Amino acid sequence: MSVDAAPAPLPTGSPTPAWRKYLPIVVGLAITIAAFAALESMVSTLTMRDVDAAFAAVSGGTLALALLFTVISFAAVSLYDVVAVETIAPGRVSRPVAATVGAAGYAVSNALGFPLLTGGALRYHVYKSGGIELADIGRIVGTSWFALWFALAIMVGAALVVDPGDVPVLRDISPTLDIALGLVLIALVAGFVVWLSGGERTARIGRFALPLPSQGGAVVQILAGIVDIGAAAATLYVLMPAGSVGSFTLFALVFAVAVIIGVASSAPGGLGAFEATIIVSLGLSDRADVVAALLLYRLIYTVLPLIVTVIGLLIVEAVRRRAVLKGPALELVRAFEPMVPPTVAVLAFGGGLVLLFSGATPGVTDRLGLLGDVLPLPFIEMSHLAASFVGTALLVTARGLAKRLWRAWVVSLGLLVAGAVFSLSKGLDWEEATLLIVLAVLLLGFRDAFYRRSAINPFAVTWSWLAAVLATVIASVWLGLFAYRHVEYANDMWWNFAVHDNASRFLRASVIAVALIAAVGLDVAIHRRTERVQKRSRIPDEVLPVVEASPQTVAALALLGDKQFLFSPDKRGFVMYARAGGSLVALGEPVGPPEVVSELAWAFRDLADRQAERPVFYEVMPESLPLFLDMGLVALKLGEVARVDLARFTIEGPKKQDLRTATRRAEREGLAFSILTREEVVAAMDELRGVSDAWLDMKSGSEKGFSLGYFDATYLAHFDMAVLKKDGAIVAFANLWRGAGKEELSIDLMRFRPDVSKVVMDALFTRILLYGKDEGYRWFNLGAAPLSGLVDRRGASRWNRFGSFLYRRGGSFYRFDGLKAFKQKFGPVWTPHYLVCPGGFDTAKVLVDVTTLISGRPKQDP
């Protein structure tokens, strides 16, 4: 409801400069490009045949030892979460589940990047089902980080003490100083552990409090960190050729640095950057056995744990469908369920990698000859291009799978099957065709996990994801250049077509892949959901009867034509909502009889979930909060709503002197009050529009929408109109909202011509309230006072404290206190109202979406 212009925009903080948002993406791509450029110079004399021979030379015992160290590393990782959960949220999640999340989540996130960075979102989805709040999930991740860095400090200290002369970067410093620095690092960590023995400890960074583990828990986590990093490094160490590296301690340090640089790159899993750092740091250029060791490490430490996780997920899915589970078994199944979408996304991404890397390497000569005898050359050429297109498309759609989008699942399934067909028709590559079909079958097995349907953002592509896709394509291009380094480049290669001309096919396929990424990037740049202007929609016939039956006057905003509707099965109630950014925003609680409200609210939440959007309820009254809190949403206080008890309202007495004065002055100035019926409103629409335009010019503003009415002839024709006339001409008006059963009366648009009278607002409101009292209405709703009533105390939330500060200090751009003071004249009862939305990082996004929705222009007619 509007009384004076519109509610103030929701505070969203200072906008982040665009360059800060895109800087990590640009830096990451730069690291990826530099890494592959360095790799090109470091393997300049090698060929694919050399690498294949090095593969064959690796012994079975070496592979078995690498597998053993991989198992040890993942077992250590599982202890991170066990200790962290026991410290931060004891009893919320069982130890087996925490261990499973630690190990299986590591396997999934390790395929996309460094797990302690990418695993945070996965932990959030798993642990929130156990009732753990976002802040506690952040603390769980934070304690794991403590363990990692303390373990790394001990390893650095040990390296400085054991072999001070060979530590990279520090090798030029005096060995005595190196040893002293190493001892200091070890002593600091030991001192920290001793300090923890004094009882419960908490680390504070600003206002963020992080409960620290007990002394025993810290020792376990630090030891787990040492074992984790050491075993992961040992996996690669045993695969490296004999005599190629020095002491294991120094190698572990190089390994850790390589992982960190890989994190900074945009490539999934640090592909390219990790390998380049290892080769450069150890000085192992132009060695096929080193390249083979790095490839084997990727297969054993990254791909194999992912396969084990997928098999585990399939078993859990089968058990869930066939058995009724209880107790720990049910908890374990629930812990696995959130892992399905990111795992399947990794599988689809892997399918894309297979197709791209296959297209970048030479086909088998005998198979190409046989294929050339069966299929025409143009078909083989087109199949090669199509396979690269499908591979790149799989990289793009994998993001939608991580978001549980049904359309991404359907498209990915089709792409995998098509990729299998093209693999056969481009080179009889039956191995990769079989792998792609297996991946497609796995996707079918997880069908129930993909239920969200988003018509606006069907694949959830973001700039950061496109950067990862581009980095992967860069990797495939580098692989092609490596495979065809013996082929001298010539311009005519682009249009050479022959069965055995693999290099030309690679060049053309690379162009197709880059062109597809450019097209998707252009689409992301142009079609921003938050900038789309929705067309005015037709109001369903079932809406008006529900509005007329509602005792709450806010239901009248359903007649604006800027909302969509979710109806109850019997059409007796609805939720009115609009889409903004990544949110579905419902205005208030569901409208309808009390018996349908709860089911409608849950149905709206399910609708938002299916469409991969954030469910938001804007302007919720306190009595409805338990319903929304049960949905796992959080409530932010927006301010207070002023309602006047009309049975007790009077303009007599000293406190109402201003209202009496305004009424009498208006009469002396010739301002006559009257009520126009709906038919009279239609006839006077042009005159009313003139008043509205003059008011808008005075305010130097534009029409709002969604939670506020705007001047629209179709909308205003539904209501009676309170007007003030002077010399027979309308100079002020307010359309009346009437609640069913005379429970409530309110107004929406209140507009007047400037310079008519200084008391026009006070006079018009006073006369409307007296009219409502005479008509027998119980309440008059004056609307909200934004940010009013927010608590500013030490223990209050950041939102309350910031909103309270803005209320007190924000007068330079909006008179928060002035609006409340105006409404206070009428002696109202103040009731808080709330914004209900998902918590955590989503809350900030919701505030932007809601502000954009309310402040946007009214919907345009189609």
Side-chain angles (χ1 to χ4, degrees), residues 365-442:
T365 303
D366 294 341
R367 296 181 186 180
L368 284 172
L370 179 61
L371 190 65
D373 295 335
V374 178
L375 296 177
L377 179 60
F379 194 86
I380 297 175
E381 294 285 355
M382 290 304 299
S383 295
H384 198 280
L385 292 177
S388 294
F389 178 90
V390 169
T392 308
L394 278 170
L395 302 184
V396 173
T397 58
R399 167 71 175 176
L401 291 173
K403 290 291 187 179
R404 299 177 179 263
L405 296 180
W406 175 81
R407 189 178 298 185
W409 179 84
V410 172
V411 172
S412 297
L413 190 63
L415 288 173
L416 286 171
V417 174
V421 173
F422 293 135
S423 294
L424 294 173
S425 59
K426 75 180 179 66
L428 290 181
D429 297 322
W430 61 268
E431 299 93 344
E432 68 185 63
T434 302
L435 177 60
L436 293 172
I437 291 297
V438 169
L439 293 179
V441 172
L442 291 176

Side-chain angles (χ1 to χ4, degrees), residues 4-85:
D4 182 14
L10 295 170
T12 58
S14 301
T16 303
W19 66 269
R20 290 189 181 180
K21 178 180 179 180
Y22 297 112
L23 181 61
I25 297 175
V26 175
V27 171
L29 284 174
I31 291 175
T32 299
I33 295 171
F36 280 107
L39 278 175
E40 176 63 22
S41 65
M42 286 183 279
V43 295
S44 58
T45 63
L46 300 181
T47 65
M48 294 289 290
R49 185 173 299 177
D50 298 330
V51 177
D52 290 339
F55 261 120
V58 179
S59 67
T62 299
L63 294 177
L65 198 56
L67 286 172
L68 175 62
F69 283 123
T70 297
V71 172
I72 294 173
S73 176
F74 276 83
V77 167
S78 67
L79 291 180
Y80 282 146
D81 281 48
V82 172
V83 176
V85 170

Side-chain angles (χ1 to χ4, degrees), residues 464-652:
S464 58
W465 189 264
L466 273 182
V469 172
L470 181 57
T472 306
V473 171
I474 291 172
S476 72
V477 171
W478 176 85
L479 180 61
L481 294 174
F482 173 75
Y484 299 110
R485 65 172 62 242
H486 62 284
V487 179
E488 187 174 350
Y489 175 80
N491 289 331
D492 60 358
M493 290 178 62
W494 293 98
W495 51 82
N496 280 345
F497 299 94
V499 172
H500 296 285
D501 197 351
N502 294 299
S504 294
R505 290 197 193 96
F506 153 68
L507 290 175
R508 290 189 288 268
S510 298
V511 172
I512 289 292
V514 174
L516 178 58
I517 296 174
V520 175
L522 186 62
D523 179 75
V524 172
I526 293 175
H527 297 99
R528 288 186 175 273
R529 292 186 294 173
T530 55
E531 295 176 357
R532 291 186 178 184
V533 178
Q534 297 179 357
K535 299 294 184 182
R536 179 182 174 88
S537 59
R538 175 185 172 276
I539 301 173
D541 296 335
E542 297 88 351
V543 168
L544 185 57
V546 177
V547 172
E548 291 178 340
S550 174
Q552 281 75 43
T553 54
V554 71
L557 285 170
L559 305 176
L560 266 177
D562 62 351
K563 300 173 182 68
Q564 296 173 272
F565 298 90
L566 175 66
F567 287 95
S568 61
D570 57 9
K571 304 294 185 181
R572 292 193 301 146
F574 60 76
V575 176
M576 49 179 161
Y577 68 94
R579 180 178 282 104
S583 304
L584 287 188
V585 185
L587 181 58
E589 301 98 351
V591 180
E595 59 269 21
V596 305
V597 167
S598 178
E599 284 302 317
L600 267 173
W602 277 103
F604 178 76
R605 194 197 190 293
D606 293 340
L607 173 67
D609 185 52
R610 289 194 304 273
Q611 296 188 3
E613 308 283 4
R614 293 177 288 270
V616 182
F617 295 87
Y618 180 68
E619 294 188 341
V620 169
M621 302 307 288
E623 55 268 18
S624 300
L625 284 183
L627 169 63
F628 300 111
L629 296 180
D630 286 344
M631 297 179 183
L633 305 177
V634 300
L636 302 182
K637 188 174 180 180
L638 295 174
E640 295 176 305
V641 175
R643 301 175 75 215
V644 179
D645 185 346
L646 291 178
R648 299 182 178 181
F649 178 72
T650 177
I651 61 173
E652 302 301 325

Side-chain angles (χ1 to χ4, degrees), residues 139-158:
R139 293 183 178 109
I140 290 171
V141 177
T143 56
S144 298
W145 268 101
F146 266 116
L148 174 70
W149 289 108
F150 282 135
L152 189 59
I154 289 179
M155 294 179 69
V156 172

